Amino acid sequence: MDGQDRRRRPTISDVAAAAGVSVKTVSRVINGEPGVRPALAERVLAAVAELGFRRNALASGLRSGRASATIGLIIEDLANPFYSTIAAAVAKVARGHDTHLITVSSEEDPALERRQFAELCQRRVDGLIIVPAGSDHAYTRSEAELGLKMVFLDRPPSGILADSVVVDNAAGAAAGVADLLAAGHRRIGVITDSPSVYTARERLAGVRTALAGAGVPYDDALVRTDVADPGRAARAVAAMLDGADPPTAFFTGNNRITVGAIQELCRRGHDAALTGFDDFELSALMPRPLTVVGYDVRELGRAAAARLFARIGGDASWPSETVVPTRLERRGIGS
Amino acid sequence: MDGQDRRRRPTISDVAAAAGVSVKTVSRVINGEPGVRPALAERVLAAVAELGFRRNALASGLRSGRASATIGLIIEDLANPFYSTIAAAVAKVARGHDTHLITVSSEEDPALERRQFAELCQRRVDGLIIVPAGSDHAYTRSEAELGLKMVFLDRPPSGILADSVVVDNAAGAAAGVADLLAAGHRRIGVITDSPSVYTARERLAGVRTALAGAGVPYDDALVRTDVADPGRAARAVAAMLDGADPPTAFFTGNNRITVGAIQELCRRGHDAALTGFDDFELSALMPRPLTVVGYDVRELGRAAAARLFARIGGDASWPSETVVPTRLERRGIGS
DNA sequence: CCCACGGAAGACATCGTTGTCAACGGCGTC
DNA sequence: GACGCCGTTGACAACGATGTCTTCCGTGGG
C-alpha cells in the first residue's frame, strides 16, 4: 500500500551482516559453491530467509559476464494470432533454456523496428528473433559482429547474412492453385497483398508456376494485388464476380483476404471454389467449403528458437534457411 | 558467422580512451548532461559511432538505482487468443512508458507460477501483472513490501491485498440468462467449467441470480460443471438433449464450451437457443445464431497496465478492484 | 597583483555481485 | 618441532556505468 517508507531491498551484504560472515561466503552459499561448512551455510540460509533476500540477477550477470538469459522477439503485432502463436512457441523453447523472452511489436514500422532493436541490444539480450518489417537489415551487422545472435522469421533478411526460417510459400501456393486446376477451374481469381511484401511475392510466383505448369495463361484481369484487409478483399471478390467472364474459383493470398472473400461469397450465396493461403482459427466451422494452404505456425517459432539457441550455444556454421512445409487442408462445413 | 574471435563489446572506457577524455565525460555526453564543450562532445560522439558503442542498460540501471524499465506478465498460455490479446494491450501501454514486457506462461501450474514470480523478481522488474493460477498469493507479500507493484488480472488475489481488474462475470451471466428467459425459455441447460475456477463460480452465481429473479427454479439436472474443453461440452449438450424433458436453450460458461455446444447443435441440426460467455474470433461467421456475453479483452489488459503504471508512478492509494462491463451481442449467421 | 568565482573536466567511490588470491588454523609427516 | 598441505574463510578488485567531489583554468574585480 504505502510505497514511501518501505524498507530497502536486502543485499548480499545485509545477509552477510545478519549471518556474521563475509559477503563472499554468502555468495558461495547462494550459488551452491563447495567449500562452506554446513553449519555456516545453514546460518546464511536462515538469514536469507529471514530478510527475504533475492539475488539481483542484473548485478550478478554484470559481474560474472554471463549471458543475460534473455532473448528478444520483434514481431509486427502480438494481438495477431499468427504472431502470438509464434511468440508462445518461442517462449516455450526459451523456457527450456532458462531464458526469458521480451516481445516487442514493430507495428510494421521499419523505424520502430530499428529502435526496438537498439533497445534490446542495450539490454544485452543474448539473441533476437526478428520478423522483419523493414527491407534492409544491414544496420544489424555491427551488433552481429559483437556477438549478437539473430534469426529472421517468416521473411529472409537483406543486407546481412543470417539464419532464417520461412514457410514454403511458392510451393504451397503452387499446390493450392494446382488443386483448383485439377478440379477443372480455368478462370481463377487471385487476390493478394502488395508484392512489396515478401510472402505475397513468393506466393504469387507460386501461382504463376502452377498456371504455367497447366498451360493456363496468366490473366492480369484476374489478379488483384495490394489487398490488405478483409473489407478490401470482399470488394475485390465482388468486382471480379460482377465483371465480364467472372472467375469460377478464387485463390486468396493470406487468411485476412480469405475471410473477406468468404464473407462476400456467403453474402451472395455464390458457389465459387475458394482456396486460401494460411489456415486460421475455426476455419473448420466456416459456413461453406474452402481449402487452405496450411502449415504449422508453432513450428515456425520452434524452429527459429531452436536455431537461435544453437547459435547462442556456439554453433558457428554457415547461416541456413529453414523451410517449413505446407499442406492442403479441406475446411469449412460441408467440405 | 564466426563467433569465436570476434572483438569485445566496447565499453564507456574504450570510448573514453578513443576520444582521449575521461569516462565521466563520455557519460556526460551520452546522457546529454550539460557542461561539456561542443568540441569535446563531438569527439566523443565520433568515438561512439566508430566503435559501435551502446550503453549497457543493465550496468547503468544498477549504478543509478533507477527502475529497470521492465514489467512482467504472468499468464496461463500465450498461445490462447484471450491471453495474447491481453499481452498485446499491456505491451502497448508499457511502450508508452518506455518499458519492456517479459511475458511468461504459468501453464495453470501454481508451482510454476511461483517459480516464474521469483525469477521475475530476481530480474528486478518494476511491476507484475498476474493472472493467478494458484489460489493463495500470500507468498507475494514480502516482495510487495519491498516495493514490487502488482496487479491481478481476471481473478482477484487471495492472501494479499492488491489491485485487481476483473470482468463483471456475475452480472454478465445474469444478463445472458435473463435474455433467454425473456425469450420464453424455461428449461435452460447450463454448462460450465469447474467451480474451483473463480470466473466459473461467479458466472454460475449470476445464472442463479437471473433464474431466481424470474422465479424459475434451479434444476441440478440442467447444470453440468467441470466441463473443460469443446469435446466434453459437445457430449454434455448431447446428454442433455437425449435426456427426458430436454432444455430448449443453453447457457455456456466460456467460449471453449460455446464452440463445443455449437458443434453438437449443428451436427444435429438442433435449433435450441444458445448464449455463451465470452465472445470469440469469427463468432459472427458461426453457421447458426447465438448470443454472446462479450467484453473488451483489450480493456482488461489496458486497465491492468494503467493501474500498474499508476502504482509504479507512486500512487499509494488503497487497492482497488476495476470491473470491466459486459454486453450482449447477437452473433452467428442468420441471427 | 591577488583572489574569488564559475565552468569544464577528471579522480574516485559506488551500485550488488562474483573472481582471485591471500590468510588462517588444524592436521599429518618427516 | 618445523613444514607443507588442505579445507575454510575473507579481503579486495572488478564488471560497466553514474554520483560526488576536487582540480584546474580563465576571467573579472578590487
Side-chain angles (χ1 to χ4, degrees), chain A residues 1-4 6-10 52 54-59 62 68-70 77-79 81 84 87-88 95 100-105 107 112 115-124 143 145-147 149 161 259 263 280-282 285-287 316 318-319 333, chain B residues 1-4 6-10 52 54-59 62 68-70 77-79 81 84 87-88 95 100-105 107 112 115-124 143 145-147 149 161 259 263 280-282 285-287 316 318-319 333:
Chain A
M1 333 299 79
D2 118 355
Q4 351 284 44
R6 62 164 188 275
R7 56 185 207 277
R8 200 176 50 89
R9 187 176 277 278
R54 271 185 219 278
R55 158 162 117 243
N56 184 327
L58 280 51
L62 173 62
S68 64
T70 313
D77 176 18
L78 190 53
S84 64
R95 233 183 73 62
H100 278 147
L101 174 66
I102 297 180
T103 306
V104 299
S105 294
E107 293 161 27
L112 182 52
R115 222 161 41 239
Q116 304 274 27
F117 174 85
E119 282 180 21
L120 288 169
C121 287
Q122 298 203 164
R123 300 222 166 196
R124 297 296 185 265
E143 291 296 325
E145 282 168 7
L146 290 171
K149 310 304 181 191
L161 215 50
V259 167
Q263 284 173 326
F280 52 96
E281 219 203 356
L282 303 186
L285 289 175
M286 289 297 99
W318 194 253
I333 286 174
Chain B
M1 325 307 81
D2 114 357
Q4 349 283 45
R6 61 165 190 272
R7 56 186 208 276
R8 201 176 50 89
R9 188 176 277 279
R54 270 185 220 278
R55 158 160 113 245
N56 183 328
L58 281 52
L62 173 62
S68 65
T70 313
D77 176 17
L78 190 53
S84 64
R95 232 184 74 65
H100 277 147
L101 174 66
I102 297 181
T103 307
V104 300
S105 294
E107 293 162 27
L112 182 53
R115 218 157 49 239
Q116 303 275 27
F117 175 84
E119 282 179 21
L120 289 169
C121 287
Q122 298 202 165
R123 301 226 165 192
R124 298 295 186 268
E143 290 296 326
E145 282 168 7
L146 289 171
K149 309 304 182 192
L161 215 51
V259 167
Q263 284 173 327
F280 52 96
E281 217 203 354
L282 303 187
L285 288 175
M286 289 298 98
W318 193 254
I333 285 173

Side-chain angles (χ1 to χ4, degrees), chain A residues 43-66:
Chain A
R43 250 165 58 204
V44 169
L45 290 176
V48 164
E50 198 210 347
L51 296 179
F53 168 80
R54 271 185 219 278
R55 158 162 117 243
N56 184 327
L58 280 51
S60 167
L62 173 62
R63 174 59 239 234
S64 65
R66 271 195 313 267

Side-chain angles (χ1 to χ4, degrees), chain A:
Chain A
M1 333 299 79
D2 118 355
Q4 351 284 44
D5 61 344
R6 62 164 188 275
R7 56 185 207 277
R8 200 176 50 89
R9 187 176 277 278
T11 72
I12 196 174
S13 99
D14 296 325
V15 175
V21 298
S22 74
V23 294
K24 181 65 216 196
T25 298
V26 176
S27 171
R28 274 191 266 259
V29 172
I30 61 182
N31 289 300
E33 285 174 39
V36 179
R37 280 200 334 257
L40 258 199
E42 208 166 309
R43 250 165 58 204
V44 169
L45 290 176
V48 164
E50 198 210 347
L51 296 179
F53 168 80
R54 271 185 219 278
R55 158 162 117 243
N56 184 327
L58 280 51
S60 167
L62 173 62
R63 174 59 239 234
S64 65
R66 271 195 313 267
S68 64
T70 313
I71 61 172
L73 172 64
I74 304 181
I75 57 184
E76 293 193 342
D77 176 18
L78 190 53
N80 179 328
F82 174 70
Y83 293 112
S84 64
T85 303
I86 287 173
V90 170
K92 191 165 186 178
V93 175
R95 233 183 73 62
H97 289 81
D98 288 315
T99 295
H100 278 147
L101 174 66
I102 297 180
T103 306
V104 299
S105 294
S106 66
E107 293 161 27
E108 303 191 57
D109 173 358
L112 182 52
E113 176 187 304
R114 275 187 80 140
R115 222 161 41 239
Q116 304 274 27
F117 174 85
E119 282 180 21
L120 288 169
C121 287
Q122 298 203 164
R123 300 222 166 196
R124 297 296 185 265
V125 294
D126 304 327
L128 273 180
I129 295 176
I130 304 177
V131 179
S135 55
D136 180 22
H137 292 83
Y139 72 88
T140 63
R141 191 172 301 162
S142 66
E143 291 296 325
E145 282 168 7
L146 290 171
L148 177 70
K149 310 304 181 191
M150 287 188 294
V151 174
F152 287 80
L153 188 52
D154 197 41
R155 300 156 212 168
S158 76
I160 185 169
L161 215 50
D163 291 316
S164 62
V165 175
V166 296
V167 173
D168 199 351
N169 293 292
V177 170
D179 179 61
L180 290 171
L181 290 165
H185 295 285
R186 284 301 173 271
R187 293 193 58 75
I188 303 176
V190 176
I191 306 175
T192 122
D193 203 340
S194 159
S196 69
V197 175
Y198 165 80
T199 51
R201 206 162 54 232
E202 291 285 306
R203 292 170 191 179
L204 193 52
V207 169
R208 300 184 86 131
T209 305
L211 290 174
V216 175
Y218 180 87
D219 180 352
D220 269 327
L222 287 176
V223 177
R224 180 70 186 285
T225 62
D226 299 287
V227 173
D229 60 77
R232 253 177 273 251
R235 287 197 293 281
V237 166
M240 284 197 204
L241 288 178
D242 293 340
D245 201 1
T248 63
F250 287 91
F251 181 80
T252 47
N254 68 40
N255 54 14
R256 291 190 309 281
I257 298 175
T258 306
V259 167
I262 291 174
Q263 284 173 326
E264 181 62 19
L265 291 173
C266 285
R267 202 179 62 75
R268 299 181 169 226
H270 198 287
D271 69 346
L274 174 62
T275 296
F277 212 108
D278 300 329
D279 200 353
F280 52 96
E281 219 203 356
L282 303 186
S283 62
L285 289 175
M286 289 297 99
R288 76 182 315 280
L290 78 152
T291 301
V292 299
V293 178
Y295 51 91
D296 188 345
V297 178
R298 282 169 313 173
E299 180 56 24
L300 273 181
R302 214 162 26 219
R307 203 74 215 89
L308 184 62
F309 281 105
R311 291 291 179 199
I312 291 173
D315 178 350
S317 58
W318 194 253
S320 71
E321 178 176 88
T322 305
V323 177
V324 172
T326 64
R327 59 186 187 288
L328 288 184
E329 316 258 20
R330 307 296 169 191
R331 288 291 145 90
I333 286 174
S335 70

Side-chain angles (χ1 to χ4, degrees), chain B:
Chain B
M1 325 307 81
D2 114 357
Q4 349 283 45
D5 62 343
R6 61 165 190 272
R7 56 186 208 276
R8 201 176 50 89
R9 188 176 277 279
T11 72
I12 195 173
S13 100
D14 296 325
V15 174
V21 299
S22 73
V23 295
K24 182 64 218 195
T25 298
V26 176
S27 172
R28 275 192 265 259
V29 172
I30 61 183
N31 290 300
E33 286 174 39
V36 179
R37 282 198 332 256
L40 259 199
E42 206 166 313
R43 250 164 58 203
V44 169
L45 290 175
V48 164
E50 198 210 345
L51 297 179
F53 168 80
R54 270 185 220 278
R55 158 160 113 245
N56 183 328
L58 281 52
S60 167
L62 173 62
R63 176 59 183 107
S64 64
R66 272 195 312 267
S68 65
T70 313
I71 62 172
L73 171 64
I74 303 181
I75 57 183
E76 295 193 340
D77 176 17
L78 190 53
N80 178 326
F82 174 70
Y83 293 113
S84 64
T85 302
I86 287 173
V90 171
K92 190 166 187 179
V93 176
R95 232 184 74 65
H97 290 80
D98 287 315
T99 295
H100 277 147
L101 174 66
I102 297 181
T103 307
V104 300
S105 294
S106 67
E107 293 162 27
E108 303 191 58
D109 173 359
L112 182 53
E113 175 188 304
R114 275 187 79 142
R115 218 157 49 239
Q116 303 275 27
F117 175 84
E119 282 179 21
L120 289 169
C121 287
Q122 298 202 165
R123 301 226 165 192
R124 298 295 186 268
V125 294
D126 304 328
L128 274 180
I129 295 176
I130 303 178
V131 180
S135 55
D136 179 23
H137 292 83
Y139 72 88
T140 62
R141 191 172 305 160
S142 65
E143 290 296 326
E145 282 168 7
L146 289 171
L148 178 70
K149 309 304 182 192
M150 288 188 292
V151 175
F152 287 80
L153 187 53
D154 197 40
R155 300 157 211 167
S158 75
I160 185 170
L161 215 51
D163 291 317
S164 63
V165 175
V166 297
V167 173
D168 200 350
N169 292 290
V177 170
D179 178 60
L180 289 171
L181 290 165
H185 295 284
R186 283 301 171 270
R187 293 192 59 74
I188 303 175
V190 176
I191 307 176
T192 123
D193 204 339
S194 159
S196 70
V197 176
Y198 166 80
T199 50
R201 206 161 54 233
E202 291 286 305
R203 292 170 193 178
L204 192 52
V207 169
R208 301 184 84 131
T209 304
L211 290 174
V216 175
Y218 179 86
D219 180 352
D220 268 325
L222 286 176
V223 177
R224 180 69 187 285
T225 62
D226 299 286
V227 174
D229 60 76
R232 254 178 272 252
R235 287 197 294 280
V237 167
M240 284 195 201
L241 288 178
D242 292 337
D245 203 359
T248 61
F250 287 91
F251 181 79
T252 48
N254 67 40
N255 54 14
R256 291 191 308 281
I257 298 174
T258 305
V259 167
I262 290 173
Q263 284 173 327
E264 181 62 19
L265 291 173
C266 285
R267 202 179 62 75
R268 299 183 170 227
H270 198 288
D271 70 344
L274 175 62
T275 297
F277 212 108
D278 299 327
D279 199 353
F280 52 96
E281 217 203 354
L282 303 187
S283 62
L285 288 175
M286 289 298 98
R288 76 183 313 282
L290 78 152
T291 301
V292 299
V293 178
Y295 52 92
D296 188 344
V297 178
R298 282 170 313 173
E299 180 57 23
L300 273 181
R302 218 169 13 226
R307 204 75 214 86
L308 184 62
F309 281 104
R311 291 291 178 197
I312 291 173
D315 177 351
S317 58
W318 193 254
S320 71
E321 178 176 87
T322 306
V323 177
V324 172
T326 65
R327 59 186 188 289
L328 288 183
E329 315 259 19
R330 308 295 171 191
R331 286 292 144 91
I333 285 173
S335 71

